[in-house]
């Protein structure tokens, strides 16, 4: 069964914007941390943004000031607003959701973001 469904990826010019969405199944309860990772072929998957239950956020230095993570707890959805996109942002972006007790981790299927002129 599909647990996390990502959307919003695509091709955009440098300086442009995209908004990624990740909707978690209603069957997933006690969600704590929600985050976004990205991976370039040949590299490790890397955390770029995360948001806690209370709304506290952390960002990778490379995206600070450009990306904003947010969540809608009622909809079990996490978003990533991506502004001022650069070619080096090109990657597959993965949503991640972590629950409290019992502790579990879920991953989205990945969505391609390509920044190119």
């Amino acid at each position: 069964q599909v647990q996390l469904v990502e959307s919003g990826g695509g091709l955009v010019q440098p300086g442009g914007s995209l908004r990624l969405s990740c909707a978690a199944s209603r069957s997933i309860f006690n969600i704590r941390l929600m985050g976004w990772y990205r991976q370039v072929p040949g590299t490790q998957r890397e955390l770029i943004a995360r948001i806690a239950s209370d709304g506290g956020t952390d960002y990778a230095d490379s995206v600070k000031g450009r990306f904003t993570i947010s969540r809608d707890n009622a909809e079990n959805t996490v978003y990533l607003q991506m502004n001022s996109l650069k070619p080096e942002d090109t990657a597959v972006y993965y949503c991640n959701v972590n629950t409290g007790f019992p502790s579990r981790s879920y991953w989205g299927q990945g969505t391609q973001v390509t920044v190119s002129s």
Side-chain angles (χ1 to χ4, degrees), residues 97-117:
V97 170
N98 291 282
T99 61
F101 180 81
S103 182
R104 291 190 178 192
S105 184
Y106 303 84
W107 290 93
Q109 80 280 6
T111 185
Q112 177 70 47
V113 171
T114 301
V115 185
S116 177
S117 59

Side-chain angles (χ1 to χ4, degrees), residues 6-11 17-21 36 80 82 111-113:
E6 298 184 32
S7 62
L11 174 65
S17 297
L18 287 173
R19 190 175 81 151
L20 306 183
S21 298
W36 290 93
L80 186 68
M82 309 165 69
T111 185
Q112 177 70 47
V113 171

Side-chain angles (χ1 to χ4, degrees), residues 1-40:
Q1 280 190 327
V2 176
Q3 302 268 32
L4 306 181
V5 179
E6 298 184 32
S7 62
L11 174 65
V12 66
Q13 291 183 309
S17 297
L18 287 173
R19 190 175 81 151
L20 306 183
S21 298
C22 175
S25 171
R26 300 286 189 175
S27 66
I28 301 176
F29 297 99
N30 299 318
I31 293 174
R32 298 292 184 264
L33 287 170
M34 306 180 83
W36 290 93
Y37 292 70
R38 68 187 182 191
Q39 187 168 29
V40 176

Side-chain angles (χ1 to χ4, degrees), residues 22-65:
C22 175
S25 171
R26 300 286 189 175
S27 66
I28 301 176
F29 297 99
N30 299 318
I31 293 174
R32 298 292 184 264
L33 287 170
M34 306 180 83
W36 290 93
Y37 292 70
R38 68 187 182 191
Q39 187 168 29
V40 176
T43 71
Q44 293 271 46
R45 188 173 298 185
E46 194 164 43
L47 175 68
I48 58 170
R50 61 186 178 186
I51 184 167
S53 301
D54 64 358
T57 58
D58 289 298
Y59 297 92
D61 288 341
S62 60
V63 306
K64 284 182 180 177

